[in-house]
C-alpha cells in the first residue's frame, strides 16, 4: 500500500511500511530566503550596542514562518500540493519520488486562499476564496491554471470531493456567515452536506442538523456515502477558574511583578536582574505558549498535553473528541458509525478505509483494525492508485 499525507505542515509518504518525508520545495526555498535575510541583519539585534538601544533579541535558531499545506491530491501519477505562505497561496505539482526535486507551478496569487481539494480522472475540485471565511467550489484541469467557480454567496464551502458513483458530482460542506453591524463575520452556521451537479449547475443540500456539523463528505463506487459528524462548532474546553488556579495566584503575581521589574532594570539600568539573561521577553517561550492550543474545525487540542501523552504511551487513543465520528450511510438510508474520534480518513477502492485519529493511521477492513504507522495529526490522506 502506498499513500501520502500531511502532518504538521510536512508531507510524508508510506510505501510498503517504509515512511519518508517528501520535501516541499516552495517552503524550503522560502525558509532559505528568510534565513539569508536573518544572517544579513542579525548585527542589528546582537552585541552590546543592540542591548544598550533595547534592540537586542535572542537568536531563535531556525526561522519561524507562517506556512501551511492546504491540501494534497494525486493527478495522473503526480502529487499536487497547496501551500500558503504569509499572505499568498500556490498550487504545485511534483513527483512522489522524494529524490526528484523538480516542481511545477500551477497557480499562485497574493489575493487567493486555497482550501482542501480532490482530483479524479484528470479534474481537480478545490475551495478557493480571498480569505478562509469565504471559500467557494472551483474546478480546473491541472497542469492548466484556468479554473471555473461553481458556487458563490456569503458562505464557506470546504473539502470538495468528486463522486465515485455519480458522474460530475462534487460533494462538499457548506456553512453560511453571520455578520455584525461592522460587516465582520461574527458567527458561522452549522456545516451542512451538499453536492453540486457540474453539468447542470444544480446544487442540493442533503445533510443538515442545527446541532451538528457534517464534514469531509465522500462516496464510494458502491453508492455508500461517508462523512464526519461532530457537535456544531466542535468541542472546546470549558473556561473558568480551577482550584489549582487559585493555589497558583500568589506565584503568578510574584512572577509577573519580577518579570516587569527585570525588564525595567534592563531597559533603564542596562543590566538584568537574572544572571545569563538579557532581560528581554523570551520569544521562544512566547512561541511555546502560542502553540499549546491547536484548533481543528472548532475542536481545541492541547498540544502540550498531546506531546506528554505521546511520550508516556506507545499506542494512545484518539486526540479528537469521541463525539466526532465517521459515519457510513448506505443507499437505503441506514447509517452506521464506523469509528469514533476520527480526524480524517480516505476510502480505498476495495472497500477498506484508512483513518487518522491524530496519533496514528489505521486500516479498517470490516471489523478488523490494523495500525499502519504513527502519524501525528495526519490529514489530507491520499492513496497512490494511479497505474504505473
Amino acid at each position: 500500500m502506498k499513500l501520502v499525507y500531511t502532518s504538521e505542515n510536512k508531507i510524508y509518504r508510506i510505501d510498503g511500511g517504509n515512511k519518508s518525508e517528501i520535501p516541499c520545495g516552495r517552503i524550503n526555498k522560502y525558509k532559505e530566503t528568510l534565513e539569508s535575510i536573518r544572517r544579513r541583519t542579525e548585527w542589528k539585534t546582537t552585541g552590546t550596542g543592540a542591548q544598550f538601544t533595547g534592540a537586542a533579541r535572542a537568536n531563535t535558531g531556525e526561522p519561524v514562518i507562517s506556512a501551511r499545506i492546504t491540501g494534497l491530491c494525486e493527478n495522473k501519477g503526480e502529487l499536487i500540493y497547496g501551500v500558503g505562505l504569509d499572505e499568498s497561496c500556490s498550487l504545485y505539482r511534483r513527483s512522489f519520488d522524494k529524490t526528484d526535486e523538480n516542481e511545477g507551478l500551477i497557480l499562485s496569487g497574493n489575493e487567493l486562499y486555497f482550501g482542501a481539494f480532490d482530483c479524479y480522472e484528470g479534474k481537480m475540485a478545490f475551495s478557493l476564496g480571498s480569505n478562509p471565511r469565504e471559500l467557494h467550489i472551483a474546478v480546473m484541469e491541472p497542469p492548466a491554471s484556468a479554473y471555473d467557480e461553481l458556487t458563490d454567496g456569503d458562505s464557506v464551502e470546504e473539502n470538495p470531493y468528486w463522486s465515485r458513483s455519480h458522474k460530475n458530482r462534487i460533494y462538499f460542506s457548506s456553512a453560511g456567515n453571520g455578520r455584525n453591524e461592522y460587516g465582520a463575520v461574527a458567527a458561522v452556521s452549522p456545516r451542512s452536506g451538499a453536492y453540486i451537479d457540474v453539468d447542470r449547475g444544480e446544487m442540493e443540500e442533503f445533510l443538515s442538523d442545527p446541532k451538528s456539523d457534517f464534514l469531509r463528505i465522500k462516496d464510494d463506487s458502491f453508492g455508500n456515502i461517508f462523512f464526519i459528524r461532530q457537535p456544531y462548532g466542535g468541542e472546546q474546553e470549558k473556561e473558568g477558574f480551577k482550584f489549582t488556579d487559585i493555589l497558583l495566584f500568589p506565584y503568578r503575581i510574584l512572577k509577573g511583578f519580577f518579570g516587569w521589574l527585570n525588564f525595567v532594570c534592563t531597559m533603564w539600568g542596562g543590566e538584568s536582574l537574572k544572571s545569563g539573561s538579557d532581560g528581554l521577553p523570551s520569544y521562544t517561550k512566547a512561541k511555546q505558549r502560542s502553540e499549546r492550543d491547536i484548533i481543528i474545525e472548532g475542536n481545541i487540542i492541547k498540544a502540550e498535553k498531546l506531546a506528554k501523552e505521546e511520550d508516556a504511551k506507545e499506542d494512545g487513543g484518539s486526540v479528537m473528541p469521541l463525539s466526532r465520528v465517521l459515519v457510513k450511510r448506505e443507499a437505503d438510508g441506514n447509517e452506521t458509525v464506523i469509528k469514533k474520534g476520527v480526524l480524517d480518513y480516505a476510502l480505498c477502492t476495495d472497500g477498506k478505509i484508512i483513518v487518522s485519529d491524530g496519533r496514528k493511521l489505521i486500516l479498517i477492513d470490516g471489523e478488523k483494525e490494523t495500525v499502519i504507522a504513527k502519524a501525528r495529526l495526519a490529514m489530507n490522506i491520499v492513496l497512490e492508485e494511479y497505474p504505473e
Side-chain angles (χ1 to χ4, degrees):
M1 176 181 291
K2 298 179 181 180
L3 61 91
V4 294
Y5 62 92
T6 60
S7 173
E8 299 181 299
N9 286 318
K10 293 182 179 180
I11 302 176
Y12 292 94
R13 185 189 192 200
I14 295 179
D15 183 359
N18 297 318
K19 178 180 173 182
S20 59
E21 181 181 347
I22 297 179
C24 296
R26 181 68 184 95
I27 294 179
N28 292 340
K29 182 64 176 177
Y30 191 66
K31 284 182 177 180
E32 292 174 2
T33 302
L34 288 185
E35 176 61 18
S36 176
I37 295 173
R38 187 192 67 80
R39 287 197 300 266
R40 292 199 307 266
T41 60
E42 66 180 352
W43 62 271
K44 298 180 181 179
T45 57
T46 57
T48 55
Q51 288 186 348
F52 180 77
T53 60
R57 293 291 183 271
N59 185 357
T60 58
E62 183 178 349
V64 178
I65 65 174
S66 175
R68 62 194 181 281
I69 297 177
T70 63
L72 299 175
C73 76
E74 179 272 327
N75 182 61
K76 299 180 180 179
E78 288 188 318
L79 174 66
I80 296 179
Y81 73 91
V83 58
L85 293 169
D86 295 327
E87 300 299 324
S88 66
C89 272
S90 306
L91 290 175
Y92 286 87
R93 60 188 180 94
R94 59 156 295 140
S95 168
F96 283 94
D97 184 357
K98 67 177 182 179
T99 63
D100 187 349
E101 298 181 355
N102 294 319
E103 293 190 349
L105 175 64
I106 300 174
L107 181 64
S108 181
N110 291 328
E111 297 181 358
L112 292 178
Y113 183 93
F114 299 118
F117 42 85
D118 178 54
C119 295
Y120 186 60
E121 296 183 342
K123 298 180 180 180
M124 185 169 79
F126 60 104
S127 295
L128 174 75
S130 58
N131 61 78
R133 295 282 190 168
E134 291 185 33
L135 293 175
H136 302 297
I137 305 302
V139 296
M140 66 188 308
E141 295 186 28
S145 60
Y147 62 87
D148 294 319
E149 289 192 54
L150 304 181
T151 61
D152 56 18
D154 193 4
S155 58
V156 53
E157 288 131 11
E158 300 174 293
N159 297 297
Y161 182 85
W162 287 104
S163 171
R164 272 41 172 185
S165 59
H166 297 276
K167 186 175 178 60
N168 287 336
R169 173 182 290 187
I170 300 173
Y171 292 101
F172 57 93
S173 296
S174 178
N177 290 323
R179 298 184 179 272
N180 58 24
E181 66 269 28
Y182 305 106
V185 176
V188 178
S189 72
R191 286 168 167 79
S192 60
Y195 63 80
I196 185 169
D197 187 300
V198 177
D199 294 331
R200 294 182 293 178
E202 297 178 356
M203 174 178 162
E204 182 174 335
E205 181 182 277
F206 70 101
L207 291 172
S208 64
D209 182 350
K211 296 182 179 180
S212 301
D213 288 328
F214 296 91
L215 309 163
R216 305 177 186 274
I217 304 158
K218 306 178 182 182
D219 72 352
D220 60 19
S221 59
F222 308 106
N224 301 306
I225 295 176
F226 298 79
F227 53 86
I228 291 177
R229 183 178 62 215
Q230 69 175 22
Y232 168 44
E235 287 195 10
Q236 303 179 16
E237 189 175 83
K238 295 181 179 179
E239 297 181 356
F241 287 115
K242 300 178 182 179
F243 180 70
T244 53
D245 292 328
I246 298 175
L247 294 178
L248 291 172
F249 272 169
Y251 166 74
R252 289 171 177 168
I253 291 174
L254 288 174
K255 183 179 179 181
F257 176 75
F258 179 79
W260 171 80
L261 188 62
N262 185 47
F263 179 76
V264 170
C265 291
T266 302
M267 294 300 295
W268 301 106
E271 187 175 354
S272 171
L273 295 178
K274 296 187 290 183
S275 301
S277 169
D278 61 7
L280 297 170
S282 171
Y283 173 80
T284 302
K285 290 183 178 180
K287 179 177 179 292
Q288 290 173 347
R289 285 194 295 269
S290 67
E291 290 182 344
R292 285 180 181 174
D293 291 350
I294 303 171
I295 302 176
I296 299 178
E297 292 171 336
N299 300 280
I300 295 182
I301 301 171
K302 295 295 182 182
E304 191 176 40
K305 179 181 177 182
L306 172 61
K308 290 180 180 179
E309 290 178 350
E310 287 178 341
D311 290 339
K313 297 180 180 179
E314 191 69 22
D315 185 19
S318 172
V319 303
M320 303 303 293
L322 296 181
S323 58
R324 182 180 165 104
V325 297
L326 173 60
V327 180
K328 173 184 177 181
R329 173 183 283 190
E330 300 177 36
D332 60 3
N334 181 53
E335 292 187 358
T336 304
V337 174
I338 302 297
K339 190 171 181 61
K340 298 180 179 180
V342 173
L343 173 57
D344 201 359
Y345 70 101
L347 303 177
C348 305
T349 55
D350 59 3
K352 299 175 184 177
I353 306 172
I354 297 175
V355 165
S356 166
D357 66 1
R359 295 185 191 276
K360 54 192 177 297
L361 291 170
I362 304 168
L363 177 65
I364 299 179
D365 184 6
E367 299 295 325
K368 182 181 178 182
E369 294 189 5
T370 305
V371 176
I372 300 173
K374 286 186 176 181
R376 193 172 190 263
L377 302 177
M379 302 177 70
N380 302 306
I381 308 166
V382 176
L383 297 170
E384 295 181 48
E385 298 178 325
Y386 190 77
E388 298 182 353

